[in-house]
Amino acid sequence: MAQTLVTEPFPISRIANRYLIFDVNIISHIRREHNICGVLIGTIPNLSQQNVFLGIPMQLMPEETRLLVEHGHAYIVEDADAHKTGFMEMSREDRLAFLRQMDKQGVEMALDAKRRAADKQEKVLKEKGLERKIQEKNLRRTDITPNPATGETSVGPSDEKSLSDSMPPSPTVGSARGQKVAPYFITPTTSHPPLPTPPLSPAAELPKVPHTYPLFRHLQSKGYFSTPGLRFGCHYTAYPGDPLRFHSHFLATGLDWDEEFELLDIVGGGRLGTGVKKAYLIGGEDPEAKASGKEDGSDPVRAFSIEWAGL
Amino acid sequence: MADYDENLSHLRGPSAADIDLDDETQDFRFLSNLPTHDVKDLTLPKRGDKDFESHATSLQLSTLEASRQAMHNALSWPRIHTQKTHLLATYHPESNMAYVKKAKTQHFQTLGHFKAGKNWLLPEEALFMIERGSMDCRWPVQVEEGRTDIIVYDGQEENERGVPMSLQGAYAAFIGFEGGVGGKLTLEMYTVYAGLKRAGFIVFRAGDWDDERLPIQYNEQDARDGDKVKSGNWAFGFVAEIWRRLSRKETEVPADRLKCGPLLGSGLYRSYADIYRLLQVIPTRDRNAPPELILPPDCSNPFRITFDVYKTAGAGKFKKSTRGPPDYRIAVVNARETPVPTMAQLNDLLATTPYDPPNPNGNLYQKLRHGSRNVILAVVDNGIPSYIRVGDTPFTDEKLYKRLGRGPPRGKKSGRGRGRGRGG
C-alpha cells in the first residue's frame, strides 16, 4: 500500500482536553518525519481480544502536541464542536448523498469479499485436483459476477430513482440488480468526509505542558522517540529510534534547574533502569542559558545519565 | 531480593516469565502474516527481536520499514458489517448514550440495560462496541416538520436511518459530549474499560456514578462469627474457646508500668505468648470498628471506585441483573492530574470496599498481601494504564509468635526456600 502524502499543517483532534489522531496516514507520517509515536489506545477490529497490538486512535501527550503545533506542523481542532454542528444539524440532502456513497462502497466491498472467497475455493479445489468442479463453478460465476461496466450502469438508474423519490437508498440495492450481494455496512474511521477538513485557527491556545517539557523537547530534537514513562517510574522512556525496532535507552526524568531532589531518587532510578537494561536520565533547562541561547541558538537543556557500574 | 545486582543481572535478559508483552511496543509485522478478515485461529505472537543501537545498515532500515508498513496496514483494517452480523444502534444525544432495538449478539449478556423496548448502552459500552467493529451506530435523524421518519426497509417499517457514526465521531460524541450531560466518563476511564474488556473481563460501572460516594461498607462482626461456627467443627470451637479463656492472663499492661516500665512484672509465665502480648505497646486499629478518617462525600474526590470487574470463568451463567459481588474493584486515576493519595483519601476509598478477610488457612505472606480490604488503582499516564493493588493489611492479626512450633521446621520439608537460590 502506497503512503498517502500528508499536507502540513494537519489537524489534531482535541476531545475533552485530550489530543487524538484518527488518520492512519498522519500517524505514519509523524512517526517517520517528526519522530513522534504517541500511544495507540484503540481496539483493532477482528483483534479485539488482546492488548498487545492496539490501533486507532492515537493519543498524543500534550508535550507532543505542543511541539507539533509550535513548529507549525499541526493545528488543534475542537472535535466535539465540529461533530455537534456537522452531524447533529446535517441537512437531509447531505445525509442522503453520504448514505448513497457509503452504500456504493459497501457493495464494492461485498463484491470484493465474494470474489476473494471464490478465488480461495478455486485454489483449494485445484490443489485437490478437482478441475471439473472448477469449470462448473466458473460457469455459474459468469452468471453472477457482473462485468464492471454493467455494474456501473445499473448503479446509475437506481441512484436516479432514489433521488427522484427523495428516498434513502434501500440497503438491498444489490439484490435488486440480481447480483445476490447485499452491501456491507461500513463504520468509517474518520469523519472526513462527510465533514469538511476543519479550518486552521491559529488563535487556539497551546496545550498546557508540565515542567518536564524542556527535557522532552531536547530529547526529541536529538532524534529520540519518547513514550509516557509511568510504568518505569519516570516521565518519559526515550528510544534511540522507532520503538517498533529499538529497545529504549533511557528512563528520563525532567527537573527544574535549581530543583532540589533526594539523592535516593538517583539510587532508585539508577537501580530500576539498570535492572531493565536502561539508563536513568535526569535533565533540566538552564534559565540563563535559555535567555542567552536565544541569540546563538544553543540548547539550554542539560541532561545526565546514571547507570549502575556493576563492578 | 537483596543480592539482585551482585548477579550482574543487567548482563542477562529477563526470564521468559517476567516479560510483559504489553510493556513495550511490539512489532506489527507479526500481524501481517494474518489474512485480513480471517483471524479465527489467531495466536498471539512471541516477543520480537529488537535492536539496541542504530547501525544504519540496509537490513535494519528495511526491517524497520517492513514493521512500519505492517503497522500501517493493521491500522487500516476497516470496520465492516455484513447483513448477517449487522447490529444497528442509534445515538441518543440527550443522555449521551446509544440504543439498540434488536440485540442479536452475545455481547448483550454482559452489557447494556433493557428499558422501554430498547437496549440502552452506556457511553463506554457503545464506544467499545463501535471500536471493536461489532456495532454500526448512526447519528440521529433530524425530522423536518411535515415529514415522517418512518420508512420501509425490506418490507418492514422502521425509523429512517441516519449517517453512520465514524470512530472519530464516536470518540467526539461519547467522550467529547460527555461534558454536556455531567461529564462522568473520561478518556482515562474509557482506556481502562476497553483494556479490561479486551483482556476478557466483564466490566460494569460501580454504583451509578451519580451519587456523591459509594456506600460505606461496614464489617458485620456477628455475621462473620456465625459463619465461623457453621464452617468449623462445633466441638472444636467450644474447646478452643475454653482454652482461650483459660490461657488468657493479664493482657493489659497497667498504665503506670507503661510509663516507666518494666513492661513485664515479676511472676510466673507459662508461655512466651503471654510475654509477647505484654510487649505489644503500640495500639492498633480494631478492624471490626467502623472505618475512621472518612472524608465528607464529594463528587470531585478523584479516588472512588469506578468499575466492578468480574472474571469470565463461568460466563455462560453470568447474569447482568443479578451479578453478585465483583471479583475486583478498580478506581481509575489520571496520573497527570492527581497526586499520590493522602492517608485520608486511601482510608476513604478502602471504606467503600467490603470487608474481605483472607483465607485464614492460607500462607502468612498470602494473607498479608491479601489484606482485609483491597482495591486496585488503575493509574493512567496518557493512555498507558498501570494497575496497583492497595490492601489494608492487618499485620497485628498475624502473630508471628503463634506460628512457632507449628508445622515442620523451615527449609526442610516445606519446600519454602526453594525459590531463593541466586536471585530471580
Side-chain angles (χ1 to χ4, degrees), chain B residues 227-266:
Chain B
D227 284 349
K228 232 185 220 166
V229 172
K230 248 183 272 161
S231 63
N233 185 331
W234 174 83
F236 179 77
F238 181 70
V239 173
E241 180 62 19
I242 292 200
W243 176 250
R244 198 171 64 81
R245 286 192 188 172
L246 282 180
S247 60
R248 179 191 281 169
K249 294 193 68 178
E250 34 173 348
T251 52
E252 302 263 309
V253 183
D256 56 325
R257 242 200 265 162
L258 203 55
K259 217 186 273 175
C260 9
L263 288 172
L264 293 178
S266 55

mmCIF file of all heavy atoms in Angstrom, chain B residues 227-266:
data_model
loop_
_atom_site.group_PDB
_atom_site.id
_atom_site.type_symbol
_atom_site.label_atom_id
_atom_site.label_comp_id
_atom_site.label_asym_id
_atom_site.label_seq_id
_atom_site.Cartn_x
_atom_site.Cartn_y
_atom_site.Cartn_z
ATOM 1 N N ASP B 227 -20.642 -17.465 60.746
ATOM 2 C CA ASP B 227 -20.058 -18.296 59.686
ATOM 3 C C ASP B 227 -19.011 -19.233 60.243
ATOM 4 O O ASP B 227 -18.921 -20.384 59.857
ATOM 5 C CB ASP B 227 -19.421 -17.398 58.617
ATOM 6 C CG ASP B 227 -20.476 -16.774 57.746
ATOM 7 O OD1 ASP B 227 -21.640 -17.204 57.835
ATOM 8 O OD2 ASP B 227 -20.126 -15.855 56.986
ATOM 9 N N LYS B 228 -18.229 -18.701 61.161
ATOM 10 C CA LYS B 228 -17.112 -19.474 61.690
ATOM 11 C C LYS B 228 -17.611 -20.748 62.349
ATOM 12 O O LYS B 228 -17.105 -21.832 62.116
ATOM 13 C CB LYS B 228 -16.363 -18.618 62.716
ATOM 14 C CG LYS B 228 -14.865 -18.533 62.447
ATOM 15 C CD LYS B 228 -14.200 -17.785 63.555
ATOM 16 C CE LYS B 228 -13.140 -16.871 63.016
ATOM 17 N NZ LYS B 228 -12.697 -15.903 64.015
ATOM 18 N N VAL B 229 -18.653 -20.576 63.216
ATOM 19 C CA VAL B 229 -19.172 -21.734 63.934
ATOM 20 C C VAL B 229 -19.749 -22.730 62.943
ATOM 21 O O VAL B 229 -19.526 -23.929 63.038
ATOM 22 C CB VAL B 229 -20.232 -21.285 64.953
ATOM 23 C CG1 VAL B 229 -20.915 -22.502 65.559
ATOM 24 C CG2 VAL B 229 -19.589 -20.442 66.032
ATOM 25 N N LYS B 230 -20.442 -22.201 61.941
ATOM 26 C CA LYS B 230 -21.066 -23.100 60.978
ATOM 27 C C LYS B 230 -20.019 -23.902 60.215
ATOM 28 O O LYS B 230 -20.157 -25.094 60.028
ATOM 29 C CB LYS B 230 -21.891 -22.283 59.978
ATOM 30 C CG LYS B 230 -23.386 -22.519 60.127
ATOM 31 C CD LYS B 230 -24.129 -21.749 59.068
ATOM 32 C CE LYS B 230 -24.454 -20.349 59.534
ATOM 33 N NZ LYS B 230 -24.757 -19.438 58.444
ATOM 34 N N SER B 231 -18.963 -23.206 59.816
ATOM 35 C CA SER B 231 -17.996 -23.884 58.949
ATOM 36 C C SER B 231 -17.109 -24.834 59.747
ATOM 37 O O SER B 231 -16.771 -25.906 59.275
ATOM 38 C CB SER B 231 -17.145 -22.847 58.211
ATOM 39 O OG SER B 231 -16.419 -22.103 59.153
ATOM 40 N N GLY B 232 -16.739 -24.470 60.958
ATOM 41 C CA GLY B 232 -15.836 -25.326 61.716
ATOM 42 C C GLY B 232 -16.596 -26.395 62.487
ATOM 43 O O GLY B 232 -17.824 -26.443 62.493
ATOM 44 N N ASN B 233 -15.860 -27.259 63.126
ATOM 45 C CA ASN B 233 -16.450 -28.282 63.976
ATOM 46 C C ASN B 233 -16.942 -27.607 65.260
ATOM 47 O O ASN B 233 -16.220 -26.873 65.913
ATOM 48 C CB ASN B 233 -15.364 -29.326 64.268
ATOM 49 C CG ASN B 233 -15.915 -30.479 65.053
ATOM 50 O OD1 ASN B 233 -16.860 -30.323 65.824
ATOM 51 N ND2 ASN B 233 -15.323 -31.638 64.844
ATOM 52 N N TRP B 234 -18.191 -27.891 65.606
ATOM 53 C CA TRP B 234 -18.762 -27.201 66.759
ATOM 54 C C TRP B 234 -17.963 -27.516 68.025
ATOM 55 O O TRP B 234 -17.598 -26.644 68.798
ATOM 56 C CB TRP B 234 -20.225 -27.625 66.926
ATOM 57 C CG TRP B 234 -20.815 -27.056 68.172
ATOM 58 C CD1 TRP B 234 -21.329 -25.810 68.320
ATOM 59 C CD2 TRP B 234 -20.908 -27.681 69.435
ATOM 60 N NE1 TRP B 234 -21.738 -25.617 69.597
ATOM 61 C CE2 TRP B 234 -21.492 -26.749 70.312
ATOM 62 C CE3 TRP B 234 -20.541 -28.955 69.923
ATOM 63 C CZ2 TRP B 234 -21.733 -27.043 71.668
ATOM 64 C CZ3 TRP B 234 -20.792 -29.244 71.245
ATOM 65 C CH2 TRP B 234 -21.379 -28.290 72.129
ATOM 66 N N ALA B 235 -17.659 -28.793 68.228
ATOM 67 C CA ALA B 235 -16.973 -29.210 69.457
ATOM 68 C C ALA B 235 -15.587 -28.581 69.520
ATOM 69 O O ALA B 235 -15.154 -28.086 70.567
ATOM 70 C CB ALA B 235 -16.862 -30.726 69.501
ATOM 71 N N PHE B 236 -14.941 -28.540 68.395
ATOM 72 C CA PHE B 236 -13.600 -27.955 68.363
ATOM 73 C C PHE B 236 -13.663 -26.481 68.746
ATOM 74 O O PHE B 236 -12.883 -25.997 69.544
ATOM 75 C CB PHE B 236 -13.000 -28.128 66.966
ATOM 76 C CG PHE B 236 -11.637 -27.523 66.847
ATOM 77 C CD1 PHE B 236 -10.540 -28.178 67.385
ATOM 78 C CD2 PHE B 236 -11.460 -26.296 66.237
ATOM 79 C CE1 PHE B 236 -9.292 -27.606 67.295
ATOM 80 C CE2 PHE B 236 -10.210 -25.723 66.155
ATOM 81 C CZ PHE B 236 -9.124 -26.381 66.676
ATOM 82 N N GLY B 237 -14.640 -25.792 68.198
ATOM 83 C CA GLY B 237 -14.807 -24.379 68.513
ATOM 84 C C GLY B 237 -15.031 -24.179 70.002
ATOM 85 O O GLY B 237 -14.474 -23.264 70.612
ATOM 86 N N PHE B 238 -15.802 -25.066 70.590
ATOM 87 C CA PHE B 238 -16.112 -24.951 72.006
ATOM 88 C C PHE B 238 -14.856 -25.118 72.855
ATOM 89 O O PHE B 238 -14.547 -24.320 73.741
ATOM 90 C CB PHE B 238 -17.161 -26.027 72.354
ATOM 91 C CG PHE B 238 -17.589 -26.006 73.780
ATOM 92 C CD1 PHE B 238 -18.359 -24.961 74.275
ATOM 93 C CD2 PHE B 238 -17.204 -27.026 74.638
ATOM 94 C CE1 PHE B 238 -18.753 -24.949 75.593
ATOM 95 C CE2 PHE B 238 -17.595 -27.009 75.963
ATOM 96 C CZ PHE B 238 -18.365 -25.966 76.447
ATOM 97 N N VAL B 239 -14.093 -26.176 72.571
ATOM 98 C CA VAL B 239 -12.869 -26.435 73.329
ATOM 99 C C VAL B 239 -11.887 -25.283 73.159
ATOM 100 O O VAL B 239 -11.283 -24.807 74.127
ATOM 101 C CB VAL B 239 -12.227 -27.761 72.860
ATOM 102 C CG1 VAL B 239 -10.875 -27.952 73.498
ATOM 103 C CG2 VAL B 239 -13.144 -28.918 73.199
ATOM 104 N N ALA B 240 -11.804 -24.805 71.932
ATOM 105 C CA ALA B 240 -10.869 -23.717 71.655
ATOM 106 C C ALA B 240 -11.239 -22.493 72.483
ATOM 107 O O ALA B 240 -10.368 -21.797 73.025
ATOM 108 C CB ALA B 240 -10.881 -23.379 70.171
ATOM 109 N N GLU B 241 -12.526 -22.266 72.584
ATOM 110 C CA GLU B 241 -12.987 -21.098 73.324
ATOM 111 C C GLU B 241 -12.608 -21.230 74.801
ATOM 112 O O GLU B 241 -12.097 -20.298 75.426
ATOM 113 C CB GLU B 241 -14.502 -20.967 73.146
ATOM 114 C CG GLU B 241 -15.151 -19.804 73.846
ATOM 115 C CD GLU B 241 -14.649 -18.462 73.351
ATOM 116 O OE1 GLU B 241 -14.085 -18.399 72.249
ATOM 117 O OE2 GLU B 241 -14.797 -17.479 74.106
ATOM 118 N N ILE B 242 -12.815 -22.418 75.366
ATOM 119 C CA ILE B 242 -12.463 -22.651 76.782
ATOM 120 C C ILE B 242 -10.965 -22.469 76.977
ATOM 121 O O ILE B 242 -10.502 -21.806 77.911
ATOM 122 C CB ILE B 242 -12.883 -24.073 77.201
ATOM 123 C CG1 ILE B 242 -14.406 -24.125 77.199
ATOM 124 C CG2 ILE B 242 -12.296 -24.436 78.562
ATOM 125 C CD1 ILE B 242 -14.997 -25.232 78.006
ATOM 126 N N TRP B 243 -10.198 -23.016 76.064
ATOM 127 C CA TRP B 243 -8.747 -22.936 76.145
ATOM 128 C C TRP B 243 -8.301 -21.464 76.077
ATOM 129 O O TRP B 243 -7.439 -21.027 76.829
ATOM 130 C CB TRP B 243 -8.108 -23.735 75.012
ATOM 131 C CG TRP B 243 -6.619 -23.599 74.995
ATOM 132 C CD1 TRP B 243 -5.887 -22.937 74.079
ATOM 133 C CD2 TRP B 243 -5.704 -24.106 75.954
ATOM 134 N NE1 TRP B 243 -4.563 -22.987 74.394
ATOM 135 C CE2 TRP B 243 -4.432 -23.702 75.559
ATOM 136 C CE3 TRP B 243 -5.849 -24.869 77.134
ATOM 137 C CZ2 TRP B 243 -3.281 -24.031 76.286
ATOM 138 C CZ3 TRP B 243 -4.711 -25.187 77.851
ATOM 139 C CH2 TRP B 243 -3.439 -24.761 77.416
ATOM 140 N N ARG B 244 -8.961 -20.721 75.210
ATOM 141 C CA ARG B 244 -8.582 -19.331 75.047
ATOM 142 C C ARG B 244 -8.848 -18.577 76.352
ATOM 143 O O ARG B 244 -8.024 -17.786 76.813
ATOM 144 C CB ARG B 244 -9.412 -18.717 73.902
ATOM 145 C CG ARG B 244 -8.867 -17.428 73.325
ATOM 146 C CD ARG B 244 -9.638 -17.041 72.076
ATOM 147 N NE ARG B 244 -11.031 -16.757 72.375
ATOM 148 C CZ ARG B 244 -11.449 -15.579 72.864
ATOM 149 N NH1 ARG B 244 -10.600 -14.614 73.058
ATOM 150 N NH2 ARG B 244 -12.727 -15.388 73.128
ATOM 151 N N ARG B 245 -9.980 -18.894 77.001
ATOM 152 C CA ARG B 245 -10.312 -18.191 78.246
ATOM 153 C C ARG B 245 -9.352 -18.565 79.355
ATOM 154 O O ARG B 245 -8.933 -17.737 80.156
ATOM 155 C CB ARG B 245 -11.733 -18.535 78.677
ATOM 156 C CG ARG B 245 -12.720 -17.822 77.773
ATOM 157 C CD ARG B 245 -14.092 -17.883 78.327
ATOM 158 N NE ARG B 245 -15.024 -17.363 77.326
ATOM 159 C CZ ARG B 245 -16.341 -17.415 77.447
ATOM 160 N NH1 ARG B 245 -16.867 -17.968 78.511
ATOM 161 N NH2 ARG B 245 -17.104 -16.920 76.511
ATOM 162 N N LEU B 246 -9.005 -19.860 79.411
ATOM 163 C CA LEU B 246 -8.093 -20.314 80.466
ATOM 164 C C LEU B 246 -6.720 -19.705 80.292
ATOM 165 O O LEU B 246 -6.084 -19.280 81.257
ATOM 166 C CB LEU B 246 -7.982 -21.839 80.428
ATOM 167 C CG LEU B 246 -9.151 -22.601 81.047
ATOM 168 C CD1 LEU B 246 -8.889 -24.088 80.919
ATOM 169 C CD2 LEU B 246 -9.337 -22.216 82.509
ATOM 170 N N SER B 247 -6.268 -19.693 79.027
ATOM 171 C CA SER B 247 -4.875 -19.309 78.804
ATOM 172 C C SER B 247 -4.703 -17.791 78.808
ATOM 173 O O SER B 247 -3.592 -17.301 78.875
ATOM 174 C CB SER B 247 -4.385 -19.873 77.466
ATOM 175 O OG SER B 247 -5.179 -19.349 76.436
ATOM 176 N N ARG B 248 -5.798 -17.052 78.711
ATOM 177 C CA ARG B 248 -5.645 -15.598 78.698
ATOM 178 C C ARG B 248 -5.264 -15.122 80.088
ATOM 179 O O ARG B 248 -5.968 -15.336 81.058
ATOM 180 C CB ARG B 248 -6.957 -14.944 78.253
ATOM 181 C CG ARG B 248 -6.855 -13.440 78.242
ATOM 182 C CD ARG B 248 -8.185 -12.829 78.076
ATOM 183 N NE ARG B 248 -8.612 -12.879 76.685
ATOM 184 C CZ ARG B 248 -9.850 -12.589 76.322
ATOM 185 N NH1 ARG B 248 -10.748 -12.276 77.224
ATOM 186 N NH2 ARG B 248 -10.177 -12.643 75.060
ATOM 187 N N LYS B 249 -4.123 -14.504 80.202
ATOM 188 C CA LYS B 249 -3.709 -13.988 81.505
ATOM 189 C C LYS B 249 -3.847 -12.483 81.443
ATOM 190 O O LYS B 249 -4.725 -11.964 80.783
ATOM 191 C CB LYS B 249 -2.292 -14.444 81.816
ATOM 192 C CG LYS B 249 -2.222 -15.955 82.004
ATOM 193 C CD LYS B 249 -0.933 -16.406 82.598
ATOM 194 C CE LYS B 249 -0.808 -15.948 84.035
ATOM 195 N NZ LYS B 249 0.450 -16.441 84.623
ATOM 196 N N GLU B 250 -2.963 -11.801 82.104
ATOM 197 C CA GLU B 250 -3.107 -10.346 82.046
ATOM 198 C C GLU B 250 -2.706 -9.884 80.644
ATOM 199 O O GLU B 250 -1.605 -10.151 80.178
ATOM 200 C CB GLU B 250 -2.265 -9.656 83.114
ATOM 201 C CG GLU B 250 -0.967 -10.365 83.392
ATOM 202 C CD GLU B 250 -0.081 -9.584 84.325
ATOM 203 O OE1 GLU B 250 -0.358 -8.410 84.581
ATOM 204 O OE2 GLU B 250 0.907 -10.151 84.779
ATOM 205 N N THR B 251 -3.619 -9.249 79.947
ATOM 206 C CA THR B 251 -3.319 -8.821 78.583
ATOM 207 C C THR B 251 -3.043 -7.333 78.539
ATOM 208 O O THR B 251 -2.587 -6.810 77.538
ATOM 209 C CB THR B 251 -4.489 -9.131 77.645
ATOM 210 O OG1 THR B 251 -5.656 -8.583 78.249
ATOM 211 C CG2 THR B 251 -4.642 -10.600 77.429
ATOM 212 N N GLU B 252 -3.363 -6.651 79.592
ATOM 213 C CA GLU B 252 -3.160 -5.216 79.589
ATOM 214 C C GLU B 252 -2.034 -4.876 80.547
ATOM 215 O O GLU B 252 -1.973 -5.387 81.663
ATOM 216 C CB GLU B 252 -4.431 -4.514 80.068
ATOM 217 C CG GLU B 252 -5.640 -4.847 79.233
ATOM 218 C CD GLU B 252 -5.899 -3.796 78.193
ATOM 219 O OE1 GLU B 252 -5.952 -2.610 78.560
ATOM 220 O OE2 GLU B 252 -5.993 -4.157 77.019
ATOM 221 N N VAL B 253 -1.149 -3.996 80.097
ATOM 222 C CA VAL B 253 -0.103 -3.521 80.994
ATOM 223 C C VAL B 253 -0.679 -2.331 81.757
ATOM 224 O O VAL B 253 -1.248 -1.436 81.127
ATOM 225 C CB VAL B 253 1.140 -3.103 80.201
ATOM 226 C CG1 VAL B 253 2.256 -2.677 81.135
ATOM 227 C CG2 VAL B 253 1.580 -4.220 79.301
ATOM 228 N N PRO B 254 -0.577 -2.312 83.095
ATOM 229 C CA PRO B 254 -1.100 -1.167 83.837
ATOM 230 C C PRO B 254 -0.446 0.127 83.380
ATOM 231 O O PRO B 254 0.711 0.147 82.961
ATOM 232 C CB PRO B 254 -0.736 -1.471 85.291
ATOM 233 C CG PRO B 254 -0.468 -2.937 85.325
ATOM 234 C CD PRO B 254 -0.006 -3.325 83.974
ATOM 235 N N ALA B 255 -1.220 1.203 83.470
ATOM 236 C CA ALA B 255 -0.781 2.469 82.900
ATOM 237 C C ALA B 255 0.539 2.958 83.501
ATOM 238 O O ALA B 255 1.406 3.468 82.775
ATOM 239 C CB ALA B 255 -1.861 3.523 83.106
ATOM 240 N N ASP B 256 0.728 2.778 84.805
ATOM 241 C CA ASP B 256 1.959 3.316 85.405
ATOM 242 C C ASP B 256 3.177 2.562 84.913
ATOM 243 O O ASP B 256 4.248 3.127 84.722
ATOM 244 C CB ASP B 256 1.865 3.276 86.940
ATOM 245 C CG ASP B 256 1.585 1.861 87.429
ATOM 246 O OD1 ASP B 256 0.859 1.137 86.725
ATOM 247 O OD2 ASP B 256 2.115 1.480 88.491
ATOM 248 N N ARG B 257 2.992 1.255 84.653
ATOM 249 C CA ARG B 257 4.143 0.485 84.172
ATOM 250 C C ARG B 257 4.453 0.819 82.708
ATOM 251 O O ARG B 257 5.602 0.765 82.278
ATOM 252 C CB ARG B 257 3.872 -1.001 84.310
ATOM 253 C CG ARG B 257 4.892 -1.654 85.266
ATOM 254 C CD ARG B 257 4.925 -3.120 85.025
ATOM 255 N NE ARG B 257 4.042 -3.801 85.951
ATOM 256 C CZ ARG B 257 3.613 -5.039 85.744
ATOM 257 N NH1 ARG B 257 3.948 -5.687 84.657
ATOM 258 N NH2 ARG B 257 2.832 -5.603 86.614
ATOM 259 N N LEU B 258 3.421 1.176 81.985
ATOM 260 C CA LEU B 258 3.608 1.556 80.581
ATOM 261 C C LEU B 258 4.472 2.811 80.510
ATOM 262 O O LEU B 258 5.256 3.002 79.579
ATOM 263 C CB LEU B 258 2.232 1.836 79.955
ATOM 264 C CG LEU B 258 2.099 1.724 78.441
ATOM 265 C CD1 LEU B 258 2.556 0.377 77.960
ATOM 266 C CD2 LEU B 258 0.665 1.968 78.048
ATOM 267 N N LYS B 259 4.343 3.667 81.536
ATOM 268 C CA LYS B 259 5.062 4.933 81.536
ATOM 269 C C LYS B 259 6.543 4.718 81.809
ATOM 270 O O LYS B 259 7.394 5.189 81.071
ATOM 271 C CB LYS B 259 4.449 5.856 82.587
ATOM 272 C CG LYS B 259 4.419 7.311 82.140
ATOM 273 C CD LYS B 259 3.943 8.210 83.249
ATOM 274 C CE LYS B 259 2.433 8.342 83.278
ATOM 275 N NZ LYS B 259 1.964 9.133 84.437
ATOM 276 N N CYS B 260 6.885 4.008 82.912
ATOM 277 C CA CYS B 260 8.308 3.903 83.246
ATOM 278 C C CYS B 260 8.801 2.462 83.314
ATOM 279 O O CYS B 260 9.905 2.219 83.762
ATOM 280 C CB CYS B 260 8.619 4.627 84.559
ATOM 281 S SG CYS B 260 7.208 5.190 85.456
ATOM 282 N N GLY B 261 8.011 1.518 82.836
ATOM 283 C CA GLY B 261 8.496 0.160 82.782
ATOM 284 C C GLY B 261 8.686 -0.451 84.158
ATOM 285 O O GLY B 261 8.430 0.209 85.146
ATOM 286 N N PRO B 262 9.119 -1.668 84.302
ATOM 287 C CA PRO B 262 9.283 -2.613 83.188
ATOM 288 C C PRO B 262 7.928 -3.098 82.681
ATOM 289 O O PRO B 262 6.960 -3.088 83.420
ATOM 290 C CB PRO B 262 10.066 -3.751 83.817
ATOM 291 C CG PRO B 262 9.638 -3.732 85.247
ATOM 292 C CD PRO B 262 9.397 -2.312 85.612
ATOM 293 N N LEU B 263 7.912 -3.493 81.424
ATOM 294 C CA LEU B 263 6.657 -3.970 80.855
ATOM 295 C C LEU B 263 6.256 -5.313 81.452
ATOM 296 O O LEU B 263 5.082 -5.615 81.569
ATOM 297 C CB LEU B 263 6.791 -4.103 79.328
ATOM 298 C CG LEU B 263 6.848 -2.788 78.561
ATOM 299 C CD1 LEU B 263 7.172 -3.053 77.115
ATOM 300 C CD2 LEU B 263 5.537 -2.034 78.672
ATOM 301 N N LEU B 264 7.264 -6.087 81.810
ATOM 302 C CA LEU B 264 6.971 -7.404 82.354
ATOM 303 C C LEU B 264 7.209 -7.365 83.853
ATOM 304 O O LEU B 264 8.329 -7.074 84.301
ATOM 305 C CB LEU B 264 7.883 -8.462 81.744
ATOM 306 C CG LEU B 264 7.702 -8.753 80.261
ATOM 307 C CD1 LEU B 264 8.714 -9.779 79.820
ATOM 308 C CD2 LEU B 264 6.296 -9.238 80.011
ATOM 309 N N GLY B 265 6.160 -7.590 84.620
ATOM 310 C CA GLY B 265 6.345 -7.686 86.056
ATOM 311 C C GLY B 265 6.921 -9.042 86.414
ATOM 312 O O GLY B 265 6.979 -9.943 85.579
ATOM 313 N N SER B 266 7.368 -9.155 87.630
ATOM 314 C CA SER B 266 7.856 -10.473 88.049
ATOM 315 C C SER B 266 6.645 -11.367 88.214
ATOM 316 O O SER B 266 5.544 -10.914 88.529
ATOM 317 C CB SER B 266 8.626 -10.335 89.368
ATOM 318 O OG SER B 266 7.793 -9.718 90.309
#
